[in-house]
């Protein structure tokens, strides 16, 4: 006859004490949590909100309340099936697998959904006169070489020559010396250096500093339009939505100077066929630029171009806002949202 298995008399007490001890290690008092049971479509949302109500960070609690509400509303409004939701989760898993130190597939996803542009517009609004900001994009890297003013950020035979110059100033026109300028672009084939499997070092990207008078200058190549990476889940999603995958030609620039807001922007040569249908919604009218041809051989030689060959010229001042000016601009652009 099998022996009867019985629990110790104080089994439940010991179990509850251990559960409370473990919860306490995470700053949780089990006795203060709501009683969650029998979740259904009518109760689940309110119950998730209630379990998050003890979050000590008010901003995090506010953000997650709205995130959860909109996500649950999406599920109800679309009557999404289990199979469709699992496909979405697989998509996110595959997106994560494509990420690395030099490829940012999740940034690309944010870009093509217009979220990056929306977040940027709200958080980086600029006062009148300041250079407008736009999306960072997925191809920025931290390993750019430092160049002197006038040097080339691109190795030879990477595309048609271009000379970029101007001044870094504040909104009153006062020069800003010592500003850190990061710049990056595609080569003439429409590829960033990170897209080459044999990448040995940074190319078509660089870092330089504005001079005492705020001036900066560097040699580059004329950027060309290009497709966003189409070998991953994001590119395939864009095509499935019936959209093209192209970005208009552009030159990225990021400027950081003490006492001023960091500027992340890009300049788009006029006439590009994708200028008005950018796959990542990044183009602003104020950032459309005109490239001017330079055929003066002596000037080309002076600027350092091989054999004095003709080049295109882009002159553009980079006008930075102070934190106070930026805050005033954001207050005007931010929607009125009640922070519950």
């Amino acid at each position: 006859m099998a022996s009867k298995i019985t629990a110790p008399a104080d089994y439940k007490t010991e179990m509850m004490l251990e559960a409370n001890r473990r919860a306490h290690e995470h700053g949780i008092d089990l006795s203060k949590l709501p009683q969650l049971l029998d979740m259904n479509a009518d109760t689940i949302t309110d119950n998730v909100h209630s379990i998050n109500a003890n979050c000590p960070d008010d901003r995090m609690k506010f953000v997650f309340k709205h995130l959860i509400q909109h996500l649950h509303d999406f599920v109800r409004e679309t009557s999404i099936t289990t199979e469709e939701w699992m496909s979405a989760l697989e998509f996110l898993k595959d997106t994560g697998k494509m990420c690395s130190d030099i490829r940012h597939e999740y940034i690309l996803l944010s870009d093509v959904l217009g979220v990056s542009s929306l977040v940027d517009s709200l958080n980086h609004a600029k006062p009148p006169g300041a250079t407008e900001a736009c999306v960072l994009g997925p191809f920025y890297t931290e390993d750019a070489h430092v160049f002197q003013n006038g040097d080339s950020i691109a190795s030879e035979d990477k595309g048609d020559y271009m000379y970029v110059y101007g001044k870094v100033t504040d909104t009153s026109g006062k020069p800003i010396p010592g500003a850190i300028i990061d710049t990056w672009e595609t080569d003439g084939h429409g590829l960033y250096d990170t897209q080459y499997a044999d990448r040995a070092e940074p190319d078509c990207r660089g870092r330089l500093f504005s001079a005492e008078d705020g001036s900066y200058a560097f040699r580059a190549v004329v950027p060309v339009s290009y497709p966003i990476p189409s070998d991953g889940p994001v590119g395939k999603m864009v095509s499935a939505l019936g959209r093209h995958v192209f970005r208009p030609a552009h030159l990225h620039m990021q400027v950081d100077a003490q006492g001023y807001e960091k500027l992340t922007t890009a300049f788009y040569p006029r006439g590009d066929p994708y200028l008005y249908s950018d796959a990542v919604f990044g183009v602003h009218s104020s950032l459309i630029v005109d490239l001017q041809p330079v055929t003066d051989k002596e000037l080309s030689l002076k600027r350092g171009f091989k054999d004095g060959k003709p080049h295109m010229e882009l002159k553009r001042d980079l006008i930075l806002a102070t934190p106070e000016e930026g805050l005033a601009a954001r207050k005007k652009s931010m929607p009125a949202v009640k922070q519950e």
Side-chain angles (χ1 to χ4, degrees):
M1 181 177 177
S3 61
K4 185 178 181 181
I5 300 175
T6 59
D10 60 350
Y11 172 71
K12 289 186 177 180
T13 300
E14 289 296 324
M15 182 175 64
M16 289 303 298
L17 288 173
E18 176 63 13
N20 276 284
R21 184 188 64 78
R22 290 180 178 179
H24 183 71
E25 290 177 353
H26 296 275
I28 302 299
D29 184 346
L30 290 180
S31 68
K32 294 182 179 180
L33 295 182
Q35 302 298 302
L36 307 180
L37 196 64
D38 298 328
M39 296 298 102
N40 58 51
D42 294 325
T43 64
I44 181 64
T45 304
D46 287 341
N47 277 285
V48 176
H49 288 325
S50 69
I51 201 70
N52 292 334
N54 291 325
C55 176
D57 186 321
D58 288 340
R59 177 61 183 175
M60 179 181 289
K61 181 166 63 176
F62 169 76
V63 169
F64 270 84
K65 179 177 180 179
H66 284 270
L67 172 64
I68 291 164
Q69 187 66 54
H70 289 301
L71 187 56
H72 285 214
D73 287 346
F74 160 78
V75 172
R76 291 188 177 92
E77 290 167 3
T78 60
S79 297
I80 195 167
T81 66
T82 300
E83 291 75 17
E84 289 169 336
W85 187 244
M86 289 305 299
S87 294
L89 296 178
E90 285 294 319
F91 169 81
L92 293 176
K93 182 182 75 173
D94 292 342
T95 300
K97 287 181 178 179
M98 295 297 293
C99 295
S100 70
D101 289 341
I102 58 175
R103 176 160 180 172
H104 308 290
E105 192 79 357
Y106 271 117
I107 294 179
L108 183 62
L109 176 60
S110 174
D111 290 349
V112 302
L113 293 177
V115 178
S116 296
S117 186
L118 175 59
V119 171
D120 184 74
S121 295
L122 294 174
N123 288 273
H124 298 288
K126 302 298 179 184
T131 301
E132 198 166 3
C134 73
V135 295
L136 175 70
F139 293 106
Y140 172 79
T141 69
E142 295 281 358
D143 63 351
H145 293 319
V146 175
F147 293 92
Q148 298 298 313
N149 271 291
D151 286 350
S152 178
I153 66 167
S155 55
E156 280 295 326
D157 302 318
K158 282 295 182 178
D160 296 330
Y161 291 147
M162 181 172 71
Y163 189 76
V164 185
Y165 70 108
K167 283 190 175 185
V168 182
T169 75
D170 65 13
T171 54
S172 69
K174 179 184 176 182
I176 302 175
I180 304 170
I181 304 169
D182 271 290
T183 184
W184 64 103
E185 62 171 340
T186 66
D187 59 20
H189 300 291
L191 293 172
Y192 288 91
D193 58 348
T194 56
Q195 293 179 287
Y196 287 96
D198 59 350
R199 180 186 192 257
E201 62 178 350
D203 201 359
C204 293
R205 67 177 70 239
R207 181 173 298 140
L208 60 152
F209 300 85
S210 60
E212 283 301 312
D213 63 353
S215 64
Y216 74 92
F218 60 91
R219 285 174 283 142
V221 295
V222 177
V224 298
S225 53
Y226 64 89
I228 62 171
S230 301
D231 59 334
V234 175
K236 294 174 183 177
M237 179 196 75
V238 171
S239 295
L241 291 170
R243 294 163 50 185
H244 73 66
V245 295
F246 290 91
R247 292 217 65 200
H250 56 279
L251 172 72
H252 290 278
M253 298 189 78
Q254 188 176 81
V255 191
D256 195 3
Q258 187 173 1
Y260 298 89
E261 290 194 330
K262 180 184 285 190
L263 169 69
T264 300
T265 192
F267 298 112
Y268 300 81
R270 194 181 308 277
D272 190 285
Y274 302 109
L275 203 58
Y276 299 100
S277 58
D278 182 9
V280 307
F281 312 99
V283 183
H284 297 275
S285 297
S286 69
L287 302 178
I288 297 174
V289 297
D290 293 297
L291 304 184
Q292 301 297 331
V294 175
T295 57
D296 185 331
K297 185 175 181 179
E298 292 302 316
L299 181 55
S300 292
L301 285 170
K302 182 179 178 182
R303 287 177 169 176
F305 291 111
K306 186 178 180 180
D307 301 325
K309 291 181 179 179
H311 62 276
M312 300 301 287
E313 176 185 272
L314 169 58
K315 181 180 180 182
R316 188 72 184 214
D317 290 340
L318 303 168
I319 305 172
L320 306 186
T322 64
E324 294 77 16
E325 290 173 326
L327 179 60
R330 285 190 294 278
K331 284 183 177 179
K332 291 182 179 180
S333 67
M334 278 285 190
V337 178
K338 182 181 179 183
Q339 301 260 353
E340 296 113 339

